[in-house]
Amino acid sequence: MKKIFTAIIAAVALLTATSAQAQIKFGLKGGLNVTNMSFSQDVVGKSNRTGFFVGPMVKVTIPLAGLGLDAGVLYDQREAEAGEEGDKLSVKQRSINIPINLRYNFGFSSLVGAYVAAGPQFGFAVGDKSFQWDEDVNYDVSKTNFSVNVGAGVTLFSHLEVGFTYNIACGKTGEVNVWDVASSTWNQVTRGRANAWQVSAAYWF
């Protein structure tokens, strides 16, 4: 984690120092994700589900060095099905995510290139934040979350990008709570994480 932040700070400093040579592009990005929900204790069944994300992006690149940054504001919806057979619940986690990725770009020709990218992502929950299995068990979504992106992709005609990313949750994205009748309180029984494989397409203007 520290290495990623150090690399991003170094990249920002380099981009600032060579701002006259830097290229800035704005674009739109969207795609699908497959979420793998895991719990700290095996108290409920779960399965992978698909979701989507979409939003505006900005990319800063130093052409000769191939180094750059991209950042965005993405609406993200992730789903996971949890609970035992016959008592399933679909959990939808909606958030506004802000990814900030350090990139390295390299070209095969004037029409085709590739890139690798990694960096932190900050998420802020929107929409429903609590899902109830029954009267005694519910799942509460964290208001904020932090994750790390690692990915790669190809660039076509200098405008279109197709990429694959693995989004790794750092810390909990939600928790299962059980109502304690004796004390009339909700007790946390397990924490959940939602990692996701993502495939995306972006168009840069």
Side-chain angles (χ1 to χ4, degrees):
M1 191 73 63
K2 291 182 178 180
K3 291 182 179 179
I4 292 176
F5 279 111
T6 301
I8 290 175
I9 292 173
V12 171
L14 181 59
L15 290 171
T16 302
T18 58
S19 58
Q21 300 177 0
Q23 293 181 350
I24 300 176
K25 290 185 176 182
F26 296 92
L28 292 174
K29 183 177 183 178
L32 301 175
N33 54 43
V34 178
T35 301
N36 176 25
M37 178 177 284
S38 61
F39 295 101
S40 57
Q41 300 176 29
D42 190 17
V43 295
V44 292
K46 64 276 185 185
S47 61
N48 295 343
R49 295 290 295 273
T50 58
F52 68 92
F53 55 94
V54 63
M57 297 284 294
V58 61
K59 178 173 65 173
V60 182
T61 307
I62 302 174
L64 296 179
L67 190 65
L69 289 172
D70 68 48
V73 179
L74 306 176
Y75 173 80
D76 185 294
Q77 178 174 298
R78 302 184 181 190
E79 295 188 33
E81 196 171 73
E84 300 298 338
E85 200 64 40
D87 189 22
K88 294 286 189 178
L89 172 71
S90 180
V91 175
K92 293 184 179 180
Q93 180 178 329
R94 301 179 178 92
S95 59
I96 300 298
N97 290 336
I98 303 176
I100 305 173
N101 296 312
L102 173 65
R103 298 167 54 107
Y104 181 73
N105 308 280
F106 45 96
F108 302 116
S109 70
S110 59
L111 299 179
V112 180
Y115 71 89
V116 292
Q121 178 171 286
F122 306 91
F124 304 89
V126 296
D128 296 334
K129 298 180 177 63
S130 183
F131 301 87
Q132 194 151 354
W133 276 290
D134 53 40
E135 294 181 354
D136 299 324
V137 182
N138 70 0
Y139 181 81
D140 292 332
V141 175
S142 297
K143 294 181 180 179
T144 61
N145 60 79
F146 176 76
S147 58
V148 172
N149 292 317
V150 179
V154 296
T155 303
L156 305 173
F157 309 108
S158 300
H159 292 285
L160 180 64
E161 282 185 359
V162 178
F164 296 90
T165 302
Y166 187 53
N167 177 244
I168 307 166
C170 302
K172 69 178 182 179
T173 53
E175 58 189 27
V176 176
N177 298 287
V178 176
W179 181 258
D180 188 335
V181 177
S183 62
S184 298
T185 59
W186 287 97
N187 293 332
Q188 178 190 321
V189 297
T190 183
R191 295 182 179 183
R193 289 188 180 186
N195 298 334
W197 285 101
Q198 301 177 327
V199 57
S200 65
Y203 187 84
W204 302 101
F205 299 100

